[in-house]
Amino acid sequence: NFRNRLDVIKGHAERLADHTEGDHAEAVLTAADRLATLGSRARRIDQLVARDPNPTTVDVVAVINELLESVDTEENETTIETTLPATAELRTDAETLRTTLVSPLENAVKYADSTVQVSVTSTPAGCRVVISDDGPGIPAAELDSLAAGTETDLQHGRGLGLWQLKWGVDALNGDLAFETDAGTTVRIELPTLGDDSDERSADADSDNNETDDNDPADGVDDDSTDSNNDTENNDDTDSEA
């Protein structure tokens, strides 16, 4: 598989590095590590979009604290400032939530000049997560690609992190917004899953049923379709209509 082939490449590159001069072998190792990271993120995204939501009660604050502990801040000497309540319970999919939030947290630490700020606020619909950094900001081309829902030759993203974030928020029925005036601020609005998601599903089913009923190929109107089990009695049909 992909990971095994990368391990083979890295193994040969390490041997070359021991027996050759120059930076060529190190360049191969660096590229292999980057590909391995992309592969891991691609697997996360594949699992994210393939699974059905399983809403449970989740403490968003606990999830964020857990993720922050795993983020490496030493390389950039980044300071993380948090404004978090004691708890912020939300009915949502725990696994999807973790996969969604890890991307903006990692990117904020990676691109920050010195400081990352993270806050969680309860809202009437659920909760809001805001992640800010004082780095150079996400390039406009990256956000244009994200808004368009696709990448082109002229709008090619530097990684899968933004897509992991977008698709994760979509899977949680949330809303995503960016501010790039001074650094980058990511605003994630997360609703309570359950009743809301059921209503959306019901609306979608209703729309599909209406499309089927109005299909010209049926050659019948809604009233006759509803009473198709009693077509021999026109009086009853009119009464039902």
Side-chain angles (χ1 to χ4, degrees), residues 53-59 89-95 97-98 192-194:
N54 180 28
T56 59
T57 301
V58 181
D59 184 358
E89 291 189 344
L90 179 71
R91 182 171 175 79
T92 189
D93 185 281
E95 183 176 342
L97 179 66
R98 289 187 179 89
T192 296
L193 288 185

Side-chain angles (χ1 to χ4, degrees), residues 62-74:
V63 171
I64 290 208
N65 283 329
E66 175 187 335
L67 294 174
L68 287 176
E69 289 179 0
S70 65
V71 174
D72 182 12
T73 60
E74 294 182 359

Side-chain angles (χ1 to χ4, degrees), residues 187-207:
R187 296 183 183 275
I188 305 169
E189 301 284 346
L190 298 172
T192 296
L193 288 185
D195 294 339
D196 182 62
S197 59
D198 291 342
E199 289 174 2
R200 294 189 186 194
S201 177
D203 290 343
D205 291 341
S206 176
D207 291 341

Side-chain angles (χ1 to χ4, degrees), residues 1-10 32 35-36 39-40 43:
N1 60 28
F2 182 74
R3 183 76 190 194
N4 289 340
R5 293 179 183 274
L6 282 178
D7 288 340
V8 171
I9 292 173
K10 291 179 65 176
L35 285 173
S40 296
R43 284 193 297 273

Side-chain angles (χ1 to χ4, degrees), residues 153-174:
D153 291 339
L154 297 178
Q155 295 177 323
H156 183 69
R158 294 175 297 176
L160 297 175
L162 287 177
W163 293 101
Q164 179 176 319
L165 170 60
K166 173 179 169 54
W167 289 330
V169 172
D170 287 346
L172 296 173
N173 288 346

Side-chain angles (χ1 to χ4, degrees), residues 198-215 222:
D198 291 342
E199 289 174 2
R200 294 189 186 194
S201 177
D203 290 343
D205 291 341
S206 176
D207 291 341
N208 290 336
N209 291 335
E210 290 177 3
T211 301
D212 292 341
D213 291 340
N214 294 327
D215 191 339
D222 291 343

Side-chain angles (χ1 to χ4, degrees), residues 65-222:
N65 283 329
E66 175 187 335
L67 294 174
L68 287 176
E69 289 179 0
S70 65
V71 174
D72 182 12
T73 60
E74 294 182 359
E75 182 177 352
N76 295 349
E77 296 183 352
T78 304
T79 299
I80 298 179
E81 300 175 353
T82 59
T83 304
L84 307 173
T87 61
E89 291 189 344
L90 179 71
R91 182 171 175 79
T92 189
D93 185 281
E95 183 176 342
T96 301
L97 179 66
R98 289 187 179 89
T99 304
T100 301
L101 293 179
V102 69
S103 173
L105 290 172
E106 289 178 344
N107 283 341
V109 171
K110 179 178 180 180
Y111 292 106
D113 287 338
S114 62
T115 305
V116 171
Q117 296 178 325
V118 182
S119 67
V120 174
T121 307
S122 295
T123 65
C127 79
R128 178 185 302 115
V129 179
V130 180
I131 303 169
S132 303
D133 69 74
D134 58 355
I138 301 174
E142 297 276 347
L143 296 180
D144 290 343
S145 295
L146 205 66
T150 185
E151 293 189 5
T152 68
D153 291 339
L154 297 178
Q155 295 177 323
H156 183 69
R158 294 175 297 176
L160 297 175
L162 287 177
W163 293 101
Q164 179 176 319
L165 170 60
K166 173 179 169 54
W167 289 330
V169 172
D170 287 346
L172 296 173
N173 288 346
D175 292 311
L176 177 64
F178 297 90
E179 297 175 11
T180 56
D181 294 335
T184 297
T185 296
V186 180
R187 296 183 183 275
I188 305 169
E189 301 284 346
L190 298 172
T192 296
L193 288 185
D195 294 339
D196 182 62
S197 59
D198 291 342
E199 289 174 2
R200 294 189 186 194
S201 177
D203 290 343
D205 291 341
S206 176
D207 291 341
N208 290 336
N209 291 335
E210 290 177 3
T211 301
D212 292 341
D213 291 340
N214 294 327
D215 191 339
D218 292 341
V220 293
D221 59 19
D222 291 343

